[in-house]
Amino acid sequence: MAELERVSTGIKGLDDMVDGGFPFPSVSLVAGGAGTGKTTFGLSFLTEGARQGEKGLFFTTLSEPTQWMLRYTNQFDFIDKDFFGDEIKYQDVGLLVQNEGYEELLDFIDDKIAEVMPQRIVIDPITVVGPFFKEEYRSFLFELINLLKNWQAVSVLTGEVSPGMAYPEEVTYAVDSVILLSMLEEEGSRRKYLEVLKMRGTDHTTGKQPISITTENGIVVLKSRF
Amino acid sequence: MDGEDLKLVKNIMEKVKKSGDPDTVLFDTPTTQIAKTNFFILKGLLELKGKKGYFVSLDRPHQNMSYLLQNHDISQENIWYIDAVSHMSGSKRIGKKNVEENVDFVDNTFQIEEFVEFFKEKGVKRKNFGSLEDIDFILIDNVFPILNYNNIEKIQEFLSSFEELIASHENLFGLIVMNSNSHDNLDRIIKRHVKTVIDVKKLKEDA
Ligand SMILES: Nc1ncnc2c1ncn2[C@@H]1O[C@H](COP(=O)(O)OP(=O)(O)OP(=O)(O)O)[C@@H](O)[C@H]1O
Ligand SMILES: [Mg+2]
């Protein structure tokens, strides 16, 4: 049997939970509520690649100017600013999402990938596209995921989870793996967790694992308290 | 492509030349870099060297490479694709990226031992492109995925006949890409059938 090749996730403690990393190539969903660490996850993932000489491409769907996003990333010590612009390219597709059809968006993403030739790709967040493409959303996701896999890259899509919702269903079925980030109210404080919901071809740890987000290391999976 | 990439392309071409008589060459590269390595080899062969050849896709649909070359303004006049994966990829979109008609689709991915016969056949469509006598190289994008469809005996059979084919055509280079760490057994077998091994990662560090 041919073993799956894997790449490190860039999240401390996560590789050990998933047989060494994300399968290559694959498309993963990292989903969670507001402020649970989705963007931080995506940045750690690309930074890890850059350290290993891999090119990264970060698409934001939020129309967020580069300098804003860089201002946040500057807060983190683990992200080397010098990576941005060279090893990691940042691309805003917010206006395309709002004004164009899904074919145009796919063509643009395809062109950008051909230009940069990245080994790691992040789209943050993918779920904002849903309301714009409505009944075409599922077809869009299917084509997007196929496109990403054919490029031989490891991709992370982030997904917003609104209160009362478990996870973004449409995306969950289409991707190879799903990681949920959550925040729970406990003993008067909020604690953050990470859970591997599924990962194809992988014997992964199940259940919510506590995490912390720190300036030095970004997201870190803590040793279980039990 | 940046300056470092271009230097790597030049270094790769330098190595292919130095290996002497046309023969079979294995490009050993990390799995994450396989697609890019293929692109670099083709850029060097088609653009820098003005060579002509077949590109065999076993790993990903040929449209990706075609699209990549187009995106980087590399002429595809001298490349012919033999695509053995598209029939399994299931994407509707992929057909739209068929920029030129320079392709044979192959659906016997599970009979790898028949491939060499296929290279020899002068396909009807290839009439205007030329046969094995008129081309300079056959590049196989990645041999590792064959393991998903064929057992090691069939792969061995394929490699022997591929080696023979290359040896019997003076003009022809056989180029194979793979990450040698992916599969020890396959790696050992392949190395028995190639004359030259090029460590792309090391070349990159030198670039
Ligand atoms: N420098 C830092 N040090 C420690 N924790 C931080 C730091 N920066 C961010 N955080 C924590 O990480 C959270 C935000 O992470 P991030 O922006 O990645 O979340 P998100 O899920 O992308 O949020 P959004 O829903 O806004 O997109 C913050 O709410 C905060 O708790
Ligand atoms: Mg965010």
Side-chain angles (χ1 to χ4, degrees):
Chain A
M1 216 6 240
E3 281 221 6
L4 285 176
E5 251 352 278
R6 292 182 188 269
V7 305
S8 170
T9 60
I11 306 297
K12 284 207 163 58
L14 178 55
D15 289 354
D16 290 340
M17 293 169 59
V18 294
D19 280 356
F22 289 125
F24 177 92
S26 64
V27 179
S28 299
L29 168 71
V30 173
T36 50
K38 303 179 293 294
T39 302
T40 308
F41 191 112
L43 291 168
S44 307
F45 168 69
L46 295 184
T47 302
E48 174 64 23
R51 273 195 221 105
Q52 300 184 20
E54 296 166 12
K55 283 246 153 67
L57 182 52
F58 188 106
F59 291 101
T60 176
T61 54
L62 290 177
S63 297
E64 211 171 35
T66 314
Q67 64 267 32
W68 280 38
M69 125 101 180
L70 285 179
R71 196 172 303 167
Y72 287 126
T73 61
N74 278 345
Q75 301 299 307
F76 287 116
D77 292 341
F78 73 97
I79 297 174
D80 187 341
K81 285 194 294 295
D82 292 344
F83 285 151
F84 282 85
D86 193 12
E87 280 89 349
I88 301 173
K89 303 268 192 226
Y90 182 82
Q91 183 62 51
D92 181 1
V93 292
L95 287 175
L96 275 172
V97 172
Q98 290 161 38
N99 303 324
E100 305 283 346
Y102 89 77
E103 288 286 347
E104 282 78 12
L105 179 59
L106 286 173
D107 281 343
F108 183 85
I109 291 174
D110 221 359
D111 279 345
K112 199 70 200 170
I113 297 173
E115 181 195 320
V116 176
M117 294 188 274
Q119 286 75 55
R120 297 186 184 223
I121 300 167
V122 171
I123 304 181
D124 180 46
I126 192 63
T127 38
V128 303
V129 170
F132 288 102
F133 294 163
K134 304 196 181 71
E135 64 276 8
E136 286 181 328
Y137 185 43
R138 268 173 192 269
S139 317
F140 165 76
L141 288 172
F142 176 77
E143 293 297 337
L144 173 72
I145 287 162
N146 244 311
L147 176 161
L148 292 171
K149 274 203 220 170
N150 280 329
W151 276 116
Q152 297 293 78
V154 180
S155 301
V156 167
L157 314 177
T158 70
E160 295 167 321
V161 176
S162 39
M165 169 202 205
Y167 43 77
E169 244 183 74
E170 298 92 336
V171 195
T172 305
Y173 291 117
V175 291
D176 301 303
S177 53
V178 178
I179 290 174
L180 293 181
L181 299 173
S182 56
M183 224 170 340
L184 294 179
E185 184 101 38
E186 273 172 29
E187 297 148 15
S189 68
R190 283 178 187 280
R191 288 178 194 278
K192 292 191 165 93
Y193 293 91
L194 178 154
E195 178 179 10
V196 181
L197 198 66
K198 75 164 184 183
M199 192 175 289
R200 289 185 182 144
T202 307
D203 180 15
H204 60 80
T205 309
T206 53
K208 286 191 174 68
Q209 308 291 320
I211 58 171
S212 72
I213 302 183
T214 67
T215 311
E216 305 80 57
N217 296 309
I219 300 173
V220 178
V221 181
L222 305 170
K223 292 266 176 283
S224 186
R225 289 167 298 158
F226 307 106
Chain B
M1 290 201 67
D2 51 29
E4 223 173 89
D5 289 343
L6 280 174
K7 192 129 181 263
L8 179 58
V9 173
K10 281 192 188 128
N11 285 356
I12 290 175
M13 286 305 110
E14 203 50 31
K15 281 275 176 187
V16 173
K17 196 172 67 198
K18 266 191 199 145
S19 62
D21 300 334
D23 58 19
T24 41
V25 181
L26 171 68
F27 293 89
D28 183 5
T29 191
T31 305
T32 53
Q33 305 289 342
I34 283 180
K36 219 166 158 174
T37 300
N38 273 289
F39 172 74
F40 286 168
I41 297 170
L42 283 181
K43 182 176 168 76
L45 289 170
L46 297 172
E47 208 175 63
L48 297 185
K49 300 280 172 194
K51 300 288 185 196
K52 188 172 183 178
Y54 297 163
F55 181 74
V56 183
S57 8
L58 294 171
D59 197 8
R60 46 180 214 158
H62 84 283
Q63 288 90 344
N64 285 78
M65 183 53 79
S66 174
Y67 192 42
L68 205 51
L69 294 176
Q70 187 189 28
N71 196 284
H72 290 259
D73 291 326
I74 298 171
S75 163
Q76 300 186 47
E77 209 177 311
N78 287 327
I79 184 167
W80 189 277
Y81 298 96
I82 295 173
D83 183 332
V85 272
S86 278
H87 72 102
M88 294 182 290
S89 80
S91 173
K92 286 174 283 177
R93 194 184 147 73
I94 242 160
K96 295 188 185 158
K97 292 297 171 198
N98 205 351
V99 269
E100 281 166 54
E101 288 301 330
N102 52 345
V103 56
D104 280 315
F105 290 97
V106 184
D107 56 12
N108 57 344
T109 317
F110 295 88
Q111 285 88 38
I112 192 71
E113 74 283 8
E114 295 172 6
F115 259 57
V116 168
E117 280 310 308
F118 189 83
F119 298 150
K120 286 186 196 161
E121 266 172 33
K122 296 183 184 77
V124 181
K125 282 163 74 190
R126 260 182 281 162
K127 202 164 51 200
N128 302 322
F129 186 82
S131 59
L132 283 179
E133 279 68 35
D134 311 306
I135 63 165
D136 306 299
F137 67 87
I138 298 176
L139 170 59
I140 300 177
D141 68 344
N142 183 8
V143 280
F144 182 64
I146 318 181
L147 275 175
N148 293 327
Y149 317 112
N150 294 272
N151 61 29
I152 208 91
E153 288 74 31
K154 281 184 174 188
I155 296 176
Q156 208 153 355
E157 204 180 312
F158 162 70
L159 288 168
S160 316
S161 49
F162 186 63
E163 192 187 9
E164 248 169 65
L165 178 85
I166 300 299
S168 62
H169 288 78
E170 241 182 276
N171 55 310
L172 203 55
F173 267 108
L175 310 170
I176 297 175
V177 180
M178 177 184 162
N179 174 4
S180 66
N181 294 322
S182 303
H183 198 275
D184 287 345
N185 198 14
L186 181 61
D187 180 50
R188 225 170 307 134
I189 292 169
I190 285 187
K191 283 181 178 154
R192 279 208 294 271
H193 293 285
V194 300
K195 271 201 200 135
T196 315
V197 178
I198 296 178
D199 184 345
V200 179
K201 197 174 178 192
K202 197 164 161 291
L203 270 190
K204 192 180 177 188
E205 282 156 12
D206 298 344

